[in-house]
Amino acid sequence: VVKKQAKSVPPPYRERVARLRRVMARRKLDGYLVQNRMDQFWLTGFTGEDGFVLVTARQVVLLTDGRFDECAEIECPWARKVLRKVRTPARTAQELRKYRLKRVGFDPGHLTVAEHTGLRKAARGIRLVAIPGAILDERLCKDAGEVAAIREAIRVAEQAFSKVVKWIRPGVTEAAISARLTYEMQKLGAQEVAFPSIVAVGPNASLPHYEPGDGVVTRDQGILIDWGARVGWYVSDLTRMVWPGRVPPLMAKIQRIVREAHDRAIDFVRPGVTAHAVDRVARRVIEKAGYGPRFGHALGHGMGLDCHEAPRVGKGTETVLKPGMVITIEPGIYLPGKGGVRLEDDVLVTETGHEVLTSLPL
Ligand code: ZN
Ligand code: ZN
C-alpha cells in the first residue's frame, strides 16, 4: 500500500494537477504518464531533462535519476520522487504496477514508437491509452504568472534588439547580427534564445525560415530579423524589418500591405472568434493586394513554454480564442530573388478583446 502524498501540492501546480485529473476522470484513466519536458515543467515545476511524471488519482510521482535528485528536491519537493537506476520500459512498468493501474494515458506526440512498444510489452495487462495533447490543451490559456513570464521574455528580446539595431551598419554579416542578439539577450537575463534567430539581408528574406550566414548588410537592402528570448522558461517571438538606408519602392509597397494585414488581424483578435477567422482577416488584405500566393504560411501560432504551441492561427484551425491565450500575428509577403517583409507581434487574448504585449515600433 502506497501512502498518500506526503506534502500538499502548492499553487499553481495544485490547480494544474487537478485539471489533469479531471481529464483522466473523463477518459476513465487511473494514471497518466507525462513525458514531455515542458509538460512536466508546467505540471510540477520540475526542469530536469530526463524522467517521467506519473499522475494517479492520489499521487504525483517523479521518476528520474540521481543527476536530477537535487533539482527535484528544490523544484518539486512535494512530488513523490523515485530515482531509477535504469531507464528501461521494465522499470517504468514496475512503477505503474506499484499503483495497480489499469488504464494509463500518454501523449502519442511525445512517446517514441520504440518507447511505446517497449512499455506495452513490459506493462502487459495495463492498457496504454493515447490522448493527444491532453496537457497541451490545458496549457492553451495562460494564468497571470505565465503572462508575466512572457512579458519578461518580450522585454528582454526588445531591449536586446534596440541595442543591436544601433550597432548594425553596412558591412556586418547576418551571422554577426544573430550572435550579437544572442549575447545581448543573455546579458539581459535570457536563459537562451527562444529559437535560432533568423537574420536575412535583402533577397535572403524571401525564405521565411532562412538561416543566417554570410549575407552582408548594405545601405539599400532590408534586413528581416525574427528572434525571441526564453526567460523563466517562457518565450517571446518577434519579427522586425530594419532598413539601414532608403527603402526600395517595391519593398515599401509590400511593407505597407503587410502592415495593414498585421493591424487588421490584431484588431480582430478577441474571445469567441476562431483562430482560422483571424488568419482570414490578414489573408484577405494580402490577397486583395494581389500577393495571396506570396503569403505561404499560417498567420501565427500560440506561444508559451514552446515557441510553437496550439493554437495554430491558420486555415482549418477551429479553436475558438479564449482569454489567456497568447498568439503571434505574423503576416508576410515573400518575393523570390527580391526580398521579403514579415512583421510579428505577440498578442494576449483578454476578457474584452486583446492586448498587444510587444511594444517595439514597427
Ligand atoms: Zn518569429
Ligand atoms: Zn512566430
Side-chain angles (χ1 to χ4, degrees):
V1 175
V2 186
K3 61 180 195 296
K4 252 192 93 191
Q5 197 87 44
K7 297 165 190 141
S8 75
V9 184
Y13 309 113
R14 188 187 311 162
E15 165 64 14
R16 294 177 187 175
V17 169
R19 275 158 66 187
L20 178 61
R21 284 187 175 133
R22 287 200 283 275
V23 174
M24 288 164 57
R26 268 205 307 279
R27 305 297 296 258
K28 304 200 168 19
L29 303 172
D30 49 12
Y32 191 90
L33 208 44
V34 187
Q35 169 152 46
N36 176 262
R37 189 180 177 198
M38 287 302 127
D39 282 351
Q40 291 179 354
F41 173 73
W42 180 84
L43 195 66
T44 67
F46 177 65
T47 63
E49 321 175 63
D50 193 20
F52 274 116
V53 170
L54 171 64
V55 178
T56 72
R58 314 204 113 182
Q59 300 277 335
V60 177
V61 184
L62 178 58
L63 186 60
T64 183
D65 63 60
R67 291 171 299 160
F68 304 107
D69 187 2
E70 194 183 350
C71 183
E73 229 28 81
I74 294 166
E75 293 172 338
C76 49
W78 50 268
R80 196 188 147 84
K81 183 180 66 184
V82 178
L83 299 178
R84 59 182 178 186
K85 294 255 163 30
V86 287
R87 49 192 303 237
T88 56
R91 181 66 190 82
T92 309
Q94 186 191 330
E95 211 57 35
L96 302 183
R97 280 210 194 86
K98 198 192 287 179
Y99 300 94
R100 302 204 171 93
L101 303 177
K102 298 270 179 296
R103 277 171 59 87
V104 177
F106 69 97
D107 192 325
H110 296 139
L111 206 65
T112 67
V113 173
E115 286 163 337
H116 182 250
T117 311
L119 193 56
R120 234 178 50 185
K121 264 191 209 150
R124 225 173 273 277
I126 300 172
R127 180 83 186 276
L128 298 176
V129 186
I131 316 242
I135 293 185
L136 263 179
D137 289 351
E138 299 299 315
R139 279 168 48 186
L140 276 171
C141 296
K142 277 70 188 173
D143 64 27
E146 294 181 288
V147 173
I150 292 170
R151 282 184 205 276
E152 191 55 17
I154 290 170
R155 189 187 64 80
V156 165
E158 292 190 332
Q159 283 187 5
F161 180 84
S162 303
K163 284 194 172 179
V164 172
V165 162
K166 283 190 204 128
W167 164 87
I168 292 177
R169 52 186 38 81
V172 305
T173 64
E174 297 163 338
I177 295 172
S178 168
R180 190 102 185 180
L181 263 173
T182 302
Y183 170 76
E184 293 294 352
M185 287 195 280
Q186 294 199 331
K187 213 166 67 164
L188 286 161
Q191 289 166 260
E192 56 185 355
V193 290
F195 52 88
S197 305
I198 297 169
V199 181
V201 170
N204 295 341
S206 71
L207 299 146
H209 280 202
Y210 177 75
E211 280 187 36
D214 49 12
V216 173
V217 171
T218 64
R219 212 161 275 295
D220 53 357
Q221 299 185 99
I223 313 163
L224 183 154
I225 304 182
D226 186 344
W227 81 108
R230 184 184 289 278
V231 181
W233 295 95
Y234 285 81
V235 300
S236 52
D237 181 7
L238 298 91
T239 306
R240 286 294 181 271
M241 299 300 301
V242 177
W243 305 96
R246 195 179 69 93
V247 186
L250 175 62
M251 290 296 135
K253 182 185 163 198
I254 66 170
Q255 175 145 310
R256 271 197 305 276
I257 300 162
V258 170
R259 173 74 195 261
E260 197 193 333
H262 162 278
D263 292 357
R264 288 227 204 146
I266 289 178
D267 278 346
F268 191 75
V269 171
R270 72 191 72 136
V273 303
T274 64
H276 172 121
V278 181
D279 175 273
R280 205 166 49 213
V281 168
R283 207 163 293 280
R284 284 242 172 95
V285 172
I286 293 174
E287 280 167 0
K288 270 195 189 152
Y291 289 99
R294 302 273 147 241
F295 174 28
H297 56 75
L299 177 64
H301 51 84
M303 52 170 261
L305 289 168
D306 290 310
C307 297
H308 290 93
E309 51 181 64
R312 179 173 175 275
V313 184
K315 272 181 203 161
T317 306
E318 295 305 327
T319 306
V320 173
L321 298 187
K322 287 197 194 96
M325 288 184 182
V326 178
I327 57 172
T328 69
I329 297 292
E330 50 179 307
I333 295 177
Y334 309 95
L335 308 176
K338 292 181 180 138
V341 168
R342 175 165 71 252
L343 299 171
E344 176 176 24
D345 279 304
D346 303 338
V347 181
L348 168 70
V349 183
T350 62
E351 296 289 339
T352 52
H354 64 265
E355 181 192 347
V356 183
L357 299 176
T358 36
S359 63
L360 273 183
L362 284 167

